[in-house]
Amino acid sequence: MYPFRRRFVFGLSLILAAYGAAATEIAPEAVRLEAGLIAALRYDAKTGERAAPSGPAIQAYIRAGYLTAKPTVRADYTDYRLLDKPATLLGLPLVAIEEEYMTQYLGCCVSEGAGATVRVSGDIAPLVEFAKRNACHLERDYDAAGEFRNYGIAGKLPAGRYANLSCRARDADRAEP
């Protein structure tokens, strides 16, 4: 592993520990996967694009057995995948990853990018700050059960409060002055 990556993963581990994700709760590979997902959600203001494509980040979760190769459900242009193993995003339990992309024109209007649904079990300040800094939209009181019920997968969600982070092209467009 490159020295930069090693330092990044170590730093991310410290951040997660500081926000309540104990090192014993998630596997070390989950920390590496999270770093890839964060890169795919991060916005590069210089280029006007996400810092990394979402596809490779999601493929890494699939190869590690956290997600299935086939989406839990595909609706319109979006793949929704519920996690099969415990993982976190910015110190909160990660429940689902979504990716919006176009392979075939279905009608208006694809907004490429990715998003994540987390279970709110602690401080969401890091998530709020990430959304602000990275041209993402954060829905703090997300009705995950209601949204997923529309797709027939609500029964797979544990009870609780959820938030949804959307980092798509439309979110960046809304954030620009």
Side-chain angles (χ1 to χ4, degrees):
M1 186 182 298
Y2 295 104
F4 170 77
R5 279 190 176 160
R6 208 175 4 247
R7 286 191 310 267
F8 180 77
V9 169
F10 178 71
L12 186 57
S13 299
L14 292 175
I15 291 168
L16 291 174
Y19 287 105
T24 58
E25 293 177 4
I26 60 169
E29 71 181 346
V31 174
R32 288 189 297 276
L33 295 170
E34 180 178 7
L37 180 58
I38 287 172
L41 300 173
R42 190 178 317 118
Y43 185 71
D44 183 346
K46 291 180 184 174
T47 64
E49 296 179 355
R50 298 290 160 194
S54 55
I58 292 170
Q59 289 299 316
Y61 275 93
I62 292 169
R63 282 191 304 277
Y66 285 78
L67 298 174
T68 58
K70 183 179 178 188
T72 308
V73 69
R74 178 154 173 86
D76 298 324
Y77 292 113
T78 306
D79 289 347
Y80 295 89
R81 287 184 169 89
L82 297 177
L83 269 78
D84 293 330
K85 294 182 183 180
T88 60
L89 179 64
L90 300 171
L92 298 170
L94 182 60
V95 175
I97 298 175
E98 54 198 60
E99 181 182 32
E100 189 170 341
Y101 63 94
M102 182 171 60
T103 56
Q104 179 180 0
Y105 184 74
L106 301 175
C108 184
C109 299
V110 67
S111 181
E112 293 186 348
T117 299
V118 296
R119 188 162 181 245
V120 178
S121 62
D123 185 12
I124 68 166
L127 197 60
V128 171
E129 185 61 30
F130 183 88
K132 285 180 190 174
R133 283 193 327 254
N134 291 286
C136 298
H137 172 74
L138 178 62
E139 191 171 338
R140 295 176 194 218
D141 292 312
Y142 180 64
D143 181 12
E147 185 71 27
F148 291 171
R149 189 176 306 113
N150 293 333
Y151 306 125
I153 58 175
K156 299 179 180 184
L157 291 176
R161 207 172 117 226
Y162 294 89
N164 181 267
L165 180 69
S166 175
C167 301
R168 293 173 169 78
R170 75 175 150 266
D171 302 313
D173 292 343
R174 286 185 211 157
E176 292 178 1

